[in-house]
Amino acid sequence: MADDASHAQLTPAAPKPAHVPDALVYDFDYFKDPGFQTDPHARIAQMHKEAPEVFWTPRQGGHWVALSYEANYDLGRDWETFTSEFVPQAQMQAMRAALPPGAPHIPQPLPINVDPPLHTKYRIPLNGAFSPKAMNLLRDDIRALAKELVANIAPKGCSEFMADVAEPLPVNVFLKMFGLPLERAEAYRALVKEHFESIDFDPKATIIKLQKVAAIMRDTFLERKENPGDDLISRLWQANVDGQPTTLEDMENWGVLLFLAGLDTVMNGIGLGVRHLATDPALQERLRQSPELSQELTEELLRRYTFTVPVRMAAKDTEWHGAPIKARERVLMLLGGADLDSSRFAEPERTDIDREDKVHIAFGTGPHRCVGSHLARIELQIMYEELLAGLPTFRLDPANPPKFHGGNVIGLDTLHIVWDV
Ligand code: HEM
């Protein structure tokens, strides 16, 4: 338990349901935990010493958390026990049918918020669009942009790296491949930040947020339907779901998910990786000498600093890795816990690019496993290569320690680094 002073900033504790044994209660607020503000992965490592592999926390409305590798691995795959459909399809259709004529569509992020078999139908068009072959075609553009961003900061001797590089790189890459105008990048990022800042227990608030996201893309969607280009929006218009042509509603359902996933994940991965490198000059030196190791570096940093936190809801009562979970209770997949589990990885807190087995689950498991993983890996790898080639040894700025955030995407708000010029 955190002390009283740090409790002040946590969400109020929900009453413990009678079926939750005292031994499985552990206090953890995944948005506001004080440890997450200073070093989220150190906090996760501490949890491994103190908490059961699946525990219940009273914070954020009260929910379960899967901490161990096995519990997370199984959760992602068992969609029949743990659903991603927080709003069942029948209820979603009824809400849409009740809308007055001309009211905006209620977007549902697809395919992430539905289970198979519907999931598969909405996933198939994305698999082709994000295939390794399609993503490899972006390499030259990504490298040119990474080079340019690093060249801009190199003469300065210091950088707030999130704003200077970690954010603009993936945001530009995604907007270009998706087909959204770059000049609106700032407005898009503001919406994404608002979306991930907190969770809404009121479904109406979530709907309003998602409608704002859909609204900011609608004119581009409609324009691209008439004038297709070489981008994902145009390609998705030409796809079909179950033999039916794509509708504007389908575009908005795909669009809200891709927008939120594409504009917030990679930047946090870059931030966490570069923050590690700034504390490990020997590793920097090794990679400068042997840039061909950048793939191993990327994988080990993804494992060591796994940062997304997906959520499921129990579809039925179940006994899960020792926890008595009841239908409709929420379960957080703390994937960072999975990849720091000593029963899966020897000395998990050691960052070791020579580690033989670094097969992590940073991109999830099961049917929802990340469709953007090939793109993310290419961006991370090229970023590390260009950063290490373009800057001499860099370190954290002692006057400005990194600022972290928790939530469904753990990451950094600011990362000040310095180097000699
Ligand atoms: C390092 C960066 C990234 C990480 C760590 C990551 C992680 C994840 C994880 C863990 C999931 C599974 C969620 C669940 O089980 O509910 C997921 C799903 C997804 N990701 Fe990523 N992601 C990254 C980058 C991206 C990018 C760049 C895109 C697209 C531009 C993307 C698009 C998606 C989509 C569409 C899904 C849903 C797949 C489905 O439901 O079938 N991701 N991601």
Side-chain angles (χ1 to χ4, degrees):
M1 281 267 177
D3 61 27
D4 285 347
S6 48
H7 266 170
Q9 48 179 301
L10 303 181
T11 49
K16 179 179 82 67
H19 68 280
V20 176
D22 289 343
L24 294 188
V25 178
Y26 183 79
D27 198 1
F28 166 58
D29 186 325
Y30 78 113
F31 275 89
K32 304 203 167 179
D33 189 275
F36 263 37
Q37 316 307 315
T38 48
D39 189 339
H41 292 87
R43 174 71 176 110
I44 293 172
Q46 179 197 1
M47 275 186 228
H48 270 298
K49 298 188 178 93
E50 299 173 349
E53 67 160 327
V54 178
F55 64 82
W56 187 87
T57 173
R59 305 296 164 186
Q60 298 293 340
H63 59 88
W64 294 96
V65 179
L67 178 63
S68 71
Y69 182 90
E70 265 189 47
N72 275 290
Y73 184 87
D74 294 347
L75 251 160
R77 293 162 60 94
D78 190 350
W79 53 268
E80 281 166 318
T81 308
F82 295 102
T83 177
S84 295
E85 274 184 37
F86 293 89
V87 182
Q89 278 313 292
Q91 193 184 333
M92 183 56 80
Q93 298 313 343
M95 283 193 309
R96 286 174 179 154
L99 288 173
H105 168 65
I106 300 175
Q108 186 181 28
L110 292 186
I112 205 165
N113 277 164
V114 286
D115 300 326
L118 187 58
H119 167 268
T120 318
K121 295 177 184 168
Y122 281 91
R123 168 87 186 210
I124 286 171
L126 299 184
N127 285 344
F130 283 92
S131 68
K133 196 171 159 205
M135 295 303 98
N136 273 329
L137 296 175
L138 304 177
R139 272 181 188 274
D140 290 349
D141 276 3
I142 296 174
R143 191 171 297 282
L145 181 57
K147 248 191 216 319
E148 183 190 326
L149 292 168
V150 173
N152 287 345
I153 61 168
K156 298 182 180 161
C158 66
S159 162
E160 196 292 272
F161 197 76
M162 298 308 292
D164 289 343
V165 183
E167 176 167 344
L169 179 79
V171 166
N172 278 279
V173 169
F174 173 75
L175 293 181
K176 200 168 161 205
M177 80 160 282
F178 194 47
L180 289 171
L182 290 182
E183 56 275 15
R184 285 196 197 158
E186 215 172 299
Y188 294 147
R189 276 290 305 154
L191 263 188
V192 172
K193 271 189 194 156
E194 181 187 323
H195 193 89
F196 280 117
E197 231 154 47
S198 59
I199 45 168
D200 296 303
F201 296 108
D202 172 9
K204 274 199 199 119
T206 309
I207 290 173
I208 291 169
K209 273 187 187 174
L210 290 171
Q211 283 180 327
K212 273 165 90 175
V213 174
I216 203 170
M217 295 185 282
R218 194 170 299 127
D219 58 343
T220 314
F221 286 168
L222 292 171
E223 191 274 328
R224 219 50 56 77
K225 187 179 183 190
E226 300 308 318
N227 304 301
D230 182 22
D231 53 52
L232 185 50
I233 294 173
S234 306
R235 230 169 305 148
L236 288 174
W237 272 121
Q238 284 144 31
N240 62 64
V241 176
D242 240 0
Q244 300 300 312
T246 299
T247 61
L248 181 60
E249 286 73 24
D250 292 332
M251 288 302 295
E252 293 190 2
N253 294 337
W254 273 317
V256 290
L257 170 61
L258 290 170
F259 185 92
L260 295 170
L263 294 181
D264 202 58
T265 47
V266 180
M267 66 175 282
N268 287 302
I270 292 177
L272 289 162
V274 171
R275 182 263 192 165
H276 177 91
L277 286 168
T279 62
D280 194 342
L283 186 58
Q284 287 187 42
E285 196 41 38
R286 185 156 174 221
L287 265 292
R288 281 195 188 88
Q289 298 299 328
S290 312
E292 70 282 2
L293 293 175
S294 64
Q295 201 176 336
E296 300 299 323
L297 176 76
T298 302
E299 290 313 303
E300 178 62 350
L301 290 176
L302 277 168
R303 180 202 68 78
R304 175 65 182 82
Y305 298 101
T306 293
F307 59 92
T308 67
V309 187
V311 191
R312 296 288 186 272
M313 189 175 72
K316 53 189 174 199
D317 292 358
T318 181
E319 185 77 22
W320 191 257
H321 292 261
I325 302 179
K326 287 219 179 290
R328 299 203 61 77
E329 288 184 333
R330 277 180 303 139
V331 188
L332 217 64
M333 297 171 67
L334 193 58
L335 297 177
D339 287 335
L340 283 175
D341 185 343
S342 59
S343 62
R344 173 66 185 80
F345 298 103
E347 294 184 71
E349 290 169 67
R350 191 159 52 85
T351 304
D352 176 6
I353 65 167
D354 301 319
R355 197 181 277 282
E356 195 121 300
D357 175 8
K358 41 177 107 66
V359 184
H360 56 73
I361 54 172
F363 292 114
T365 58
H368 294 282
R369 195 184 170 284
C370 181
V371 88
S373 63
H374 309 298
L375 173 61
R377 283 183 156 126
I378 291 173
E379 290 183 280
L380 287 165
Q381 202 182 321
I382 291 178
M383 175 68 248
Y384 295 135
E385 287 169 10
E386 293 304 322
L387 180 66
L388 291 161
L391 291 192
T393 309
F394 54 89
R395 51 199 184 275
L396 293 178
D397 177 355
N400 289 300
K403 284 205 173 79
F404 295 91
H405 60 256
N408 295 98
V409 183
I410 296 168
L412 288 119
D413 294 327
T414 58
L415 174 63
H416 291 270
I417 57 171
V418 291
W419 58 93
D420 299 332
V421 283

